[in-house]
Amino acid sequence: MIPEDWEVVTVDDVANVLTGFPFPSSKYSNSGIKLLRGSNVKRNILDWSVQITKYWPELTPDIQQYILEDGDIVIAMDGSLVGKSFAQISSADLPLLLLQRVARLRTLNIDLGYLKELICCPIFTKHCDEVKTVTAIPHISPADIKGYKIPLPPTRTEQRAIATALSDADAALAAQDALIAKKEDFKRGMMEALLSGELRLDGFNGAWEEVTLGDHLKMQVGAPFSSAYFNKKAIGLRLVKNRDLKSSDSITYYSGSFSEEFVVESGDILVGMDGDFILCWWAGGMALLNQRIGRLRFIDSTIYPGYLYYSLKGKLKEIEHATAATTVKHLSHSDVENVEITIPSLPEQRAIATVLSDLDAELAAVRARRAKLARVKAGMMEALLTGAVRLV
């Protein structure tokens, strides 16, 4: 439902849509005019990383129409992220030429910011999900873009007011993204310095020693619990599956019988043994350890669990990279138990883990604020782009 004085139009009614030129890759150069390819178009940003940026040596009359301008909206038309790969050209990106399988939108008779908000958003993504092909490489066509229906307020003034409000929300989200990146960089530096002994916390100056994890812990693998007893109704104990190590969006419970040895509690160190080898300092309370999830069981008190958690993160990445050639990566007992780490005294381990845990808590708080802002932006879009709330 939209207000009576609004209308529904297609992108083709209000914008000029152009797809790129098939510049032959054999003539790409290391300098000249940047080519905008699908790989450069990410989720609401353009990526000009050296390894993916290509150039065309010179501008000739036959390719003039493919020159992009400040404010143009571009959409990648192929790939697994089709419908999510869109961006707006800025003056800093220019000069720039449009390559095939990327679409360029240039407004004709509506506010540019309003069109940008309608394209670079989940609403357009949903449209693309409905029309894209389901082949090995999903793609959308120019007709899919041109036929995208949009609600249109009657005046540019109202269109601009909506665009400004949503753009302000985007700016707030971008500020949170920048803060998250800054805190992640700081934490990364602190981890490297503290876990190597390069930076010592006040009051600690004792010697460090190198230990092999297998001398101080063993890895226990979860049980193959029967799916016949799985449920979503919170009947029984929560089951820790691989996906639970990184998200709690979909929780599974187990109502069958089990052995106490597979019960995990908050504070346990868990690791996914297939795929990305996700390490988790479990905080979800009492649960059951499912198959292909490992729990690190300490056989003495030499290593503090929190210190191990942060020390092992980098080591697992090294193991993951070493097994990257295999189709499905698998982590074994020996992969973990043969890892060597350097440790200070137990009190210093606790202190280091506390510092890094506090940094994680700060990051989690910022991410929570960012998620809240994203929900606010989604609500604003729902209200403003349907006319439920009018700004003028």
Side-chain angles (χ1 to χ4, degrees):
M1 298 297 294
I2 59 174
E4 290 185 359
D5 58 337
W6 286 31
E7 59 180 322
V8 175
V9 298
T10 65
V11 165
D12 198 38
D13 293 327
V14 296
N16 175 268
V17 180
L18 175 72
T19 53
F21 183 77
F23 293 92
S25 58
S26 60
K27 295 184 180 180
Y28 290 173
S29 67
N30 295 322
S31 62
I33 304 168
K34 289 199 298 285
L35 290 168
L36 181 70
R37 304 184 301 149
S39 56
N40 300 116
V41 186
K42 307 298 186 184
R43 196 184 301 244
N44 222 350
I45 62 169
L46 294 177
D47 182 357
W48 298 118
S49 301
V50 174
Q51 63 270 23
I52 62 171
T53 301
K54 304 299 180 184
Y55 298 84
W56 194 249
E58 61 179 336
L59 188 61
T60 53
D62 58 314
I63 57 174
Q64 292 282 339
Q65 64 175 315
Y66 300 104
I67 299 173
L68 291 162
E69 298 178 0
D70 184 15
D72 284 344
I73 299 164
V74 290
I75 303 167
M77 300 169 65
D78 293 320
S80 60
L81 295 179
V82 66
K84 299 178 182 178
S85 301
F86 37 62
Q88 187 170 31
I89 304 297
S90 72
S91 58
D93 300 311
L94 304 176
L96 201 55
L97 285 166
L98 186 69
L99 195 75
Q100 65 181 345
R101 302 307 300 159
V102 180
R104 183 269 288 153
L105 276 62
R106 191 171 289 167
T107 59
L108 298 175
N109 51 16
I110 68 170
D111 180 76
L112 173 63
Y114 184 74
L115 179 62
K116 187 261 183 185
E117 292 297 335
L118 287 165
I119 295 295
C120 301
C121 73
I123 300 172
F124 180 70
T125 299
K126 181 180 178 182
H127 166 73
C128 291
D129 285 342
E130 293 171 349
V131 300
K132 69 183 180 184
T133 64
V134 290
T135 54
I137 301 178
H139 64 268
I140 56 174
S141 69
D144 293 329
I145 298 172
K146 292 179 179 180
Y148 174 48
K149 294 180 179 180
I150 59 176
L152 188 64
T155 67
R156 288 205 179 198
T157 299
E158 186 169 8
Q159 295 166 24
R160 192 172 300 115
I162 294 171
T164 299
L166 295 177
S167 178
D168 289 346
D170 285 334
L173 286 168
Q176 292 298 305
D177 289 336
L179 182 58
I180 289 170
K182 183 178 179 179
K183 286 185 174 293
E184 285 176 337
D185 286 343
F186 179 73
K187 181 199 162 188
R188 195 176 298 114
M190 286 294 288
M191 281 185 66
E192 183 176 339
L194 289 172
L195 296 175
S196 66
E198 178 185 342
L199 175 65
R200 302 295 293 273
L201 297 175
D202 290 343
F204 297 104
N205 54 18
W208 290 40
E209 66 172 316
E210 189 171 271
V211 299
T212 301
L213 294 186
D215 294 335
H216 305 283
L217 60 83
K218 297 298 178 185
M219 188 164 76
Q220 174 200 12
V221 180
F225 294 104
S226 171
S227 61
Y229 297 97
F230 290 2
N231 70 89
K232 299 290 184 180
K233 301 177 181 179
I235 301 173
L237 275 182
R238 178 177 178 178
L239 194 65
V240 184
K241 305 175 81 172
N242 223 313
R243 65 167 179 260
D244 297 317
L245 301 184
K246 59 181 177 180
S247 171
S248 57
D249 292 342
S250 179
I251 297 176
T252 300
Y253 295 88
Y254 177 77
S255 60
S257 60
F258 58 86
S259 170
E260 291 292 332
E261 67 176 308
F262 297 110
V263 175
V264 300
E265 297 179 349
S266 293
D268 284 341
I269 306 296
L270 310 180
V271 58
M273 300 175 65
D274 295 323
D276 295 333
F277 305 161
I278 300 167
L279 190 67
C280 174
W281 194 356
W282 183 250
M286 189 176 292
L288 289 173
L289 192 67
N290 198 36
Q291 62 184 342
R292 303 308 299 161
I293 306 292
R295 172 180 34 191
L296 305 185
R297 307 200 81 158
F298 294 87
I299 56 181
D300 61 36
S301 58
T302 302
I303 307 174
Y304 179 63
Y307 182 85
L308 175 64
Y309 170 73
Y310 291 107
S311 295
L312 194 53
K313 271 181 168 289
K315 300 291 185 179
L316 286 178
K317 282 295 180 186
E318 294 174 11
I319 296 172
E320 187 179 327
H321 291 320
T323 59
T326 61
T327 304
V328 179
K329 295 171 287 185
H330 300 289
L331 187 71
S332 69
H333 292 74
S334 59
D335 287 332
V336 174
E337 293 171 8
N338 290 336
V339 167
E340 295 180 344
I341 64 171
T342 305
I343 62 171
S345 67
L346 202 57
E348 188 171 0
Q349 291 180 47
R350 289 195 188 95
I352 290 171
T354 298
V355 169
L356 297 178
S357 178
D358 288 346
L359 292 176
D360 273 341
E362 289 181 20
L363 266 168
V366 177
R367 290 192 180 108
R369 288 199 296 272
R370 203 266 182 210
K372 183 176 180 179
L373 282 172
R375 291 192 295 271
V376 170
K377 165 79 186 297
M380 290 174 63
M381 293 184 69
E382 176 71 22
L384 295 178
L385 295 177
T386 60
V389 173
R390 306 290 292 267
L391 298 180
V392 295

PDB file of all heavy atoms in Angstrom, residues 16 70 77 86 140 259-260 265 333:
ATOM      1  N   ASN A  16      18.262   5.647 -17.162  1.00  0.00           N
ATOM      2  CA  ASN A  16      18.902   5.083 -18.349  1.00  0.00           C
ATOM      3  C   ASN A  16      19.778   3.922 -17.899  1.00  0.00           C
ATOM      4  O   ASN A  16      20.656   4.092 -17.051  1.00  0.00           O
ATOM      5  CB  ASN A  16      19.753   6.145 -19.052  1.00  0.00           C
ATOM      6  CG  ASN A  16      20.531   5.581 -20.230  1.00  0.00           C
ATOM      7  OD1 ASN A  16      21.663   5.170 -20.057  1.00  0.00           O
ATOM      8  ND2 ASN A  16      19.917   5.559 -21.385  1.00  0.00           N
ATOM      9  N   ASP A  70      30.395  10.601 -12.039  1.00  0.00           N
ATOM     10  CA  ASP A  70      30.143  10.732 -10.603  1.00  0.00           C
ATOM     11  C   ASP A  70      28.642  10.583 -10.330  1.00  0.00           C
ATOM     12  O   ASP A  70      27.819  11.255 -10.961  1.00  0.00           O
ATOM     13  CB  ASP A  70      30.644  12.107 -10.143  1.00  0.00           C
ATOM     14  CG  ASP A  70      30.522  12.299  -8.637  1.00  0.00           C
ATOM     15  OD1 ASP A  70      30.323  11.314  -7.926  1.00  0.00           O
ATOM     16  OD2 ASP A  70      30.632  13.450  -8.188  1.00  0.00           O
ATOM     17  N   MET A  77      26.164  -8.171 -12.485  1.00  0.00           N
ATOM     18  CA  MET A  77      25.044  -8.972 -12.965  1.00  0.00           C
ATOM     19  C   MET A  77      25.292 -10.478 -12.902  1.00  0.00           C
ATOM     20  O   MET A  77      24.416 -11.259 -13.279  1.00  0.00           O
ATOM     21  CB  MET A  77      24.706  -8.563 -14.405  1.00  0.00           C
ATOM     22  CG  MET A  77      24.319  -7.092 -14.529  1.00  0.00           C
ATOM     23  SD  MET A  77      24.217  -6.521 -16.238  1.00  0.00           S
ATOM     24  CE  MET A  77      22.858  -7.493 -16.855  1.00  0.00           C
ATOM     25  N   PHE A  86      26.384  -4.038  -5.533  1.00  0.00           N
ATOM     26  CA  PHE A  86      25.991  -2.782  -6.149  1.00  0.00           C
ATOM     27  C   PHE A  86      26.749  -1.653  -5.460  1.00  0.00           C
ATOM     28  O   PHE A  86      27.271  -1.829  -4.350  1.00  0.00           O
ATOM     29  CB  PHE A  86      24.481  -2.552  -6.035  1.00  0.00           C
ATOM     30  CG  PHE A  86      23.901  -3.026  -4.722  1.00  0.00           C
ATOM     31  CD1 PHE A  86      24.292  -2.474  -3.505  1.00  0.00           C
ATOM     32  CD2 PHE A  86      22.961  -4.040  -4.682  1.00  0.00           C
ATOM     33  CE1 PHE A  86      23.762  -2.904  -2.302  1.00  0.00           C
ATOM     34  CE2 PHE A  86      22.429  -4.492  -3.477  1.00  0.00           C
ATOM     35  CZ  PHE A  86      22.838  -3.911  -2.285  1.00  0.00           C
ATOM     36  N   ILE A 140      21.574 -12.046 -13.526  1.00  0.00           N
ATOM     37  CA  ILE A 140      20.363 -11.311 -13.859  1.00  0.00           C
ATOM     38  C   ILE A 140      20.581 -10.624 -15.195  1.00  0.00           C
ATOM     39  O   ILE A 140      21.725 -10.425 -15.635  1.00  0.00           O
ATOM     40  CB  ILE A 140      20.004 -10.270 -12.764  1.00  0.00           C
ATOM     41  CG1 ILE A 140      21.174  -9.305 -12.523  1.00  0.00           C
ATOM     42  CG2 ILE A 140      19.597 -10.959 -11.481  1.00  0.00           C
ATOM     43  CD1 ILE A 140      20.863  -8.166 -11.563  1.00  0.00           C
ATOM     44  N   SER A 259      25.501 -39.713  27.653  1.00  0.00           N
ATOM     45  CA  SER A 259      26.495 -39.932  28.692  1.00  0.00           C
ATOM     46  C   SER A 259      26.991 -38.582  29.206  1.00  0.00           C
ATOM     47  O   SER A 259      27.149 -37.635  28.432  1.00  0.00           O
ATOM     48  CB  SER A 259      27.680 -40.723  28.122  1.00  0.00           C
ATOM     49  OG  SER A 259      28.750 -40.747  29.043  1.00  0.00           O
ATOM     50  N   GLU A 260      27.238 -38.482  30.501  1.00  0.00           N
ATOM     51  CA  GLU A 260      27.670 -37.232  31.126  1.00  0.00           C
ATOM     52  C   GLU A 260      28.988 -36.718  30.535  1.00  0.00           C
ATOM     53  O   GLU A 260      29.276 -35.521  30.592  1.00  0.00           O
ATOM     54  CB  GLU A 260      27.830 -37.426  32.639  1.00  0.00           C
ATOM     55  CG  GLU A 260      26.516 -37.649  33.380  1.00  0.00           C
ATOM     56  CD  GLU A 260      25.626 -36.412  33.380  1.00  0.00           C
ATOM     57  OE1 GLU A 260      26.170 -35.297  33.308  1.00  0.00           O
ATOM     58  OE2 GLU A 260      24.397 -36.569  33.444  1.00  0.00           O
ATOM     59  N   GLU A 265      30.102 -27.137  29.416  1.00  0.00           N
ATOM     60  CA  GLU A 265      29.639 -26.011  30.216  1.00  0.00           C
ATOM     61  C   GLU A 265      30.352 -24.741  29.785  1.00  0.00           C
ATOM     62  O   GLU A 265      31.378 -24.793  29.087  1.00  0.00           O
ATOM     63  CB  GLU A 265      29.890 -26.286  31.698  1.00  0.00           C
ATOM     64  CG  GLU A 265      29.124 -27.480  32.249  1.00  0.00           C
ATOM     65  CD  GLU A 265      29.424 -27.731  33.720  1.00  0.00           C
ATOM     66  OE1 GLU A 265      30.376 -27.110  34.235  1.00  0.00           O
ATOM     67  OE2 GLU A 265      28.712 -28.551  34.346  1.00  0.00           O
ATOM     68  N   HIS A 333      42.904 -35.076  16.183  1.00  0.00           N
ATOM     69  CA  HIS A 333      43.428 -34.942  17.537  1.00  0.00           C
ATOM     70  C   HIS A 333      44.872 -34.465  17.498  1.00  0.00           C
ATOM     71  O   HIS A 333      45.271 -33.539  18.212  1.00  0.00           O
ATOM     72  CB  HIS A 333      43.382 -36.294  18.281  1.00  0.00           C
ATOM     73  CG  HIS A 333      42.011 -36.782  18.583  1.00  0.00           C
ATOM     74  ND1 HIS A 333      41.171 -37.302  17.619  1.00  0.00           N
ATOM     75  CD2 HIS A 333      41.321 -36.830  19.753  1.00  0.00           C
ATOM     76  CE1 HIS A 333      40.035 -37.664  18.181  1.00  0.00           C
ATOM     77  NE2 HIS A 333      40.093 -37.388  19.476  1.00  0.00           N
TER      78      HIS A 333
END
